[in-house]
Amino acid sequence: MTRHYSSLVGWGHYAPENVVTNDDLSEIVDTTDEWIRARSGIERRHFVSPDQATSDLCIEAGRRALDRAGVAPEDVGLVLVATSSPDYLTPPVSSQVQHGLGCANAGAMTLVVGCTGFVYGLVTADQFIQTGAYETILLIGAEVISKNLDMTDRTTCVLFGDGAGAVVLQATDRPCGVRSFELGSDGSQAEALIAPSPGTRNPVSQYAIDHRTHYLRMDGRAVFKFATRAMTESLQRVMDKAALGVDDVDLFIPHQANARIIEYAAEQLQLPPEKVVMNVAEYGNTSAATIPIALSEALDAGRAEAGGTLAMVGFGAGLTWAACLFDLGPLALAPPDSGADRDRQPAPESVIDDRGVVEGLIA
Ligand code: ACO
């Protein structure tokens, strides 16, 4: 019987054009560029314009990933969107994305797992491909957090940004895809990172608006403590499960919340700095979008090759965490173009895999 594996054949990301620097924020709240850089490593972030919503970012990143893969929208079987900031509570944003991209033959599902959503989504997509249920899946991690930030609360508003990243996964019979994973949750710490309304616990009310309960609240120290432990321990466990060591992994792509958290984990696990992707300085924390944006940038830069092994690890609201090792299969690593139309160019229809074999990409 043919086994099915997930090959990552397309990727893309999008961040809104509007860049907000630390100095810009210091004109709004009592903070400084020095404090933000020293405590988080963040230098700037991208905020949407008033007329942009999460589906717009998803569609842009999703289209780039499909173009890169050379996959037509109507050939996508399932659209998965990981986000905690949908356009509306109802309908699910994944259906708007499915429609906006022209994925006329796809099912669509939204995963709400905070910053951990992309890794949960990757594992979910991989399972659907392994069972043979789907041939082609578009997975997007996206957030518009800026519209849920309390711009009077300096402990949160300086840390977050907006953006989206996407990957296209396709079934192949060559061994690749998720090699090992761990999905974790500790609901006892739910209040460490919470937007208390609107929801069925606290529907929209004058009280909610007066008390600003619709904004994101965070116990930074509690999350920091949780994050450092969750990241190091879950990464170690997925490497142990796969019987791989740090030397066997080509690239570590951690959730980009705070440079100090990433540096702590890298030090604990003795990861060589050149193997750790870090772009928090440019985007801040874009929650479910950080890992796919970092992944897309790393692949554009040629930091991983066909046949390479990636480690991804996220943590966030829930509190949740997720880690996985992902083997790149017959990946189309086209050299990145520099022009503005780069991601509009159709991807080549065939690629050379890690064994030097030319394989068609289009199912
Ligand atoms: N500018 C200036 N001073 C500030 C700011 C600011 N923006 N924010 C807080 N401070 C002050 C505090 O009030 C405090 O002052 P005090 O000592 O007089 O009370 C001082 O700076 C130190 O505050 P701490 O909270 O101890 O600072 P810390 O070094 O812990 O850094 C931070 C705070 C950056 C929030 C850190 O705790 C952190 O990164 N936590 C994890 C956050 C995280 O990862 N969240 C996301 C996970 S989930 C997701 O991605 C959605």
Side-chain angles (χ1 to χ4, degrees), residues 31 35 39 115 154 193 218 220-221 255 257-258 260 285 316:
T31 191
W35 191 97
R39 300 295 179 122
C115 307
R154 67 178 183 174
L193 187 51
M218 181 174 69
R221 286 180 199 180
H255 175 43
N258 186 321
R260 288 191 297 145
N285 181 350

Side-chain angles (χ1 to χ4, degrees), residues 148-166:
N148 294 328
L149 286 176
D150 183 346
M151 297 308 285
T152 67
D153 175 9
R154 67 178 183 174
T155 67
T156 53
C157 76
V158 303
L159 300 172
F160 295 92
D162 305 332

